[in-house]
Amino acid sequence: MKLADKAFRTKPNALWRTTALALVLIVVALWLLMRSARELDLLQLGEATAHAAGLDAVRLKRRVVIATSLGVGICVALTGVIGFLGLLVPHCLRLWLGPGHRLLLPASMLAGALLLVVADTLARTVAVPAEIPVGLLTSLLGGPYFLYLLMRRNRAC
C-alpha cells in the first residue's frame, strides 16, 4: 500500500452505542429548547417587556444556554468543528419562516443536518480519491454570510 493511500484511509469513529447516546442527549436538548419556544418568542420583545409579562429571563437564559451547550457539545464531539452552520441556517430560515421559535428550532436542526449531509457528500466526491474537509466547505458558505451580517449590522448603527 502506498503512503498516499494510507494518508486517506480513516478509521471509522461512529459506533452505534455512541450514536444512540448522542441521539438521546440531542433529543433532550431539543426538548428543553422546544419547551422554551414561547418564552424565547416573548424574550424577543425585550427583557423589560418579558419581565413585565412574568417571564424570568435569567432562568430562561440559563436553561437555553445549558440545552444549546449540550446539543452543540455532543455534535462537535462526534463530528468535529463544522463551522458556521449554526450561524447560516437559522438566519436564513428566520427570513423564510418568521421569528417564531416553535417552527424555527426544529426546522434549523433539520436544515442544518441536510446542509451538512450535502456538504459532506460534496467533500467526499469533488476531489476523489482525496477528501476535502467538510468544515472547509461549510466555512466557504458561512464565512461570506457572516461578513454580510457584520456589514449589514454596521450600516444599521
Side-chain angles (χ1 to χ4, degrees):
M1 183 178 293
K2 297 178 191 174
L3 182 60
D5 291 338
K6 286 182 183 179
F8 293 113
R9 290 183 158 258
T10 58
K11 182 178 157 186
N13 293 327
L15 302 172
W16 284 111
R17 180 179 50 210
T18 308
T19 305
L21 176 62
L23 179 63
V24 168
L25 293 173
I26 289 170
V27 166
V28 168
L30 180 60
W31 176 77
L32 286 170
L33 289 170
M34 289 302 298
R35 207 176 116 208
S36 305
R38 269 183 100 99
E39 295 166 317
L40 286 169
D41 290 343
L42 187 58
L43 190 61
Q44 284 181 339
L45 299 174
E47 282 193 47
T49 305
H51 182 70
L55 177 69
D56 184 357
V58 173
R59 188 171 175 223
L60 172 66
K61 288 179 187 179
R62 187 178 304 126
R63 185 171 60 220
V64 168
V65 166
I66 289 169
T68 304
S69 299
L70 176 67
V72 169
I74 292 296
C75 290
V76 169
L78 291 179
T79 62
V81 179
I82 51 176
F84 292 110
L85 282 179
L87 177 70
L88 177 69
V89 172
H91 284 336
C92 289
L93 287 178
R94 189 179 301 270
L95 293 173
W96 295 332
L97 302 175
H101 288 86
R102 193 170 297 247
L103 181 60
L104 187 62
L105 287 170
S108 293
M109 285 189 72
L110 291 173
L114 178 64
L115 180 59
L116 183 58
V117 168
V118 169
D120 186 56
T121 302
L122 285 173
R124 292 174 186 267
T125 57
V126 167
V128 172
E131 289 183 18
I132 300 170
V134 71
L136 179 66
L137 288 181
T138 57
S139 294
L140 286 174
L141 289 173
Y145 189 71
F146 178 68
L147 292 174
Y148 163 74
L149 288 176
L150 284 176
M151 289 179 359
R152 191 176 86 183
R153 182 173 178 226
N154 287 340
R155 271 190 243 134
C157 292

